Amino acid sequence: TVTHIAQRAGPVLAFYVGTIFVFAWGFTVVLDDTEPGTNAGFETILSSAYTLFVASTGGNLPDMMAPSYAAVPFVVVPFGAYLFLTMIVFLKVVVAVVYDTYAEDMKTDKVAYLLHQTHGTKRVFALLADGTPPRIPKARFVAFLEEFKGWSLHRYSPRFFARQLPFFSGERPAAVFAADFADAIFAQL
């Protein structure tokens, strides 16, 4: 799923990196003519990009701009716009893309699980059933349930068997038909 998330978030990340380099170029050009030391972290485009990336993560936030702000006070405006774009807009978009991809993958996995479970139930019924219409005799169904008594799974606890065996009491026939088989097996869901 990591590759799936990377594919879906790729355009957003490309726009994010592009924004970093556009602002890095702008800060490098504006702060190039200032005195040495006042443009610390903005000497080259790569050092500016690194400084802006660190700023967009929230680390060392006001410190990198203090010397530049002292030399050129108006840089606070594009820096504020940069922080708004990267820390607020891009962060929310990336989180939304990651969450959406995760939710979609989980939904796909859940549907696949339920389809597999339904298919498996139909196969088990086909293996245990005989006659026309297909049905499982009571003795065979009870023996089938007894196979799972030693399992440690919560579905096959004593409460599970207590819910299944009344299936044959009262007005019910002494056999399980296809429609009732899935209900009996999935009673815990």
Side-chain angles (χ1 to χ4, degrees), residues 4-180:
H4 192 245
I5 291 172
Q7 289 173 347
R8 300 258 325 254
V12 175
L13 294 175
F15 193 61
Y16 173 69
V17 170
T19 302
I20 288 175
F21 277 98
V22 166
F23 275 91
W25 173 79
F27 280 115
T28 303
V29 169
V30 168
L31 298 174
D32 188 38
D33 296 333
T34 60
E35 298 176 20
T38 59
N39 64 348
F42 297 98
E43 297 88 7
T44 65
I45 291 179
L46 288 178
S47 66
S48 295
Y50 175 75
T51 302
L52 291 174
F53 174 74
V54 170
S56 69
T57 63
N60 201 16
L61 187 55
D63 296 343
M64 84 278 296
M65 282 307 293
S68 302
Y69 176 71
V72 184
F74 81 91
V75 297
V76 79
V77 174
F79 191 68
Y82 170 78
L83 289 178
F84 175 77
L85 274 174
T86 58
M87 293 180 83
I88 296 173
V89 174
F90 287 132
L91 178 64
K92 293 196 185 296
V93 170
V94 168
V95 168
V97 167
V98 168
Y99 175 75
D100 186 47
T101 304
Y102 174 76
E104 184 179 305
D105 287 349
M106 291 308 294
K107 181 179 176 184
T108 303
D109 289 349
K110 178 76 172 180
V111 167
Y113 169 75
L114 291 175
L115 287 174
H116 178 71
Q117 192 175 36
T118 303
H119 178 70
T121 303
K122 288 178 182 177
R123 289 186 65 198
V124 167
F125 182 80
L127 289 171
L128 294 174
D130 58 2
T132 305
R135 65 186 186 284
I136 303 172
K138 177 181 178 179
R140 189 178 297 163
F141 185 68
V142 171
F144 169 73
L145 292 177
E146 292 291 329
E147 289 290 324
F148 297 104
K149 267 197 174 171
W151 288 27
S152 62
L153 299 173
H154 74 282
R155 292 191 64 188
Y156 304 109
S157 66
R159 284 181 36 212
F160 173 75
F161 296 105
R163 288 183 182 172
Q164 305 318 310
L165 295 179
F167 216 65
F168 299 105
S169 63
E171 300 175 13
R172 296 241 183 222
V176 179
F177 293 92
D180 298 328

